Amino acid sequence: LMASTVYGYPMQVMTLYEKRQIAEHSLLALQEAIQLSTSSDYTQKSQTICWEIQFMTGKCYEKIASTLREEMYSLNCTEDARPARSYETIMTTAIRNYSK
């Protein structure tokens, strides 16, 4: 995800859709890791450091938002009544995630 490159032959730039799919799958895995590490259903205490996983979760949200950067504003709304774009909503989630 860092270089947004599909390796193989021929090397090519990853599409925004591919990048978003990988980031969404990574996000789900990280959220599950957080859930499992904080669960009391297991006999062993987890040695996972949650802030590191929270940080990586925020990075996944940023990657997803970066694929929506070029999303268009709704033309039928006034500035005051304009609904938030998906990019703005996901970036807000990323920033809130960093503050946990």
Side-chain angles (χ1 to χ4, degrees):
L1 284 177
M2 287 292 288
S4 298
T5 303
V6 176
Y7 295 102
Y9 183 80
M11 280 181 52
Q12 56 192 353
V13 175
M14 189 181 297
T15 66
L16 294 178
Y17 177 77
E18 290 173 312
K19 186 175 182 178
R20 185 170 46 250
Q21 289 293 95
I22 292 170
E24 287 173 346
H25 289 299
S26 300
L27 178 62
L28 289 174
L30 290 167
Q31 288 173 333
E32 186 174 353
I34 291 170
Q35 181 182 2
L36 291 173
S37 68
T38 58
S39 176
S40 61
D41 294 340
Y42 300 98
T43 56
Q44 282 190 326
K45 177 80 172 114
S46 172
Q47 299 299 319
T48 303
I49 302 171
C50 271
W51 71 265
E52 290 176 345
I53 298 174
Q54 290 286 1
F55 179 78
M56 292 308 297
T57 301
K59 295 305 280 180
C60 286
Y61 279 120
E62 280 188 48
K63 293 295 182 184
I64 293 167
S66 74
T67 66
L68 301 169
R69 235 185 350 236
E70 298 173 12
E71 179 185 14
M72 301 297 282
Y73 285 101
S74 178
L75 299 176
N76 299 333
C77 299
T78 63
E79 185 65 31
D80 297 332
R82 178 181 62 82
R85 298 183 311 155
S86 295
Y87 171 80
E88 296 165 344
T89 305
I90 294 172
M91 280 304 288
T92 300
T93 305
I95 292 168
R96 284 188 182 139
N97 194 75
Y98 289 134
S99 67
K100 289 183 180 181

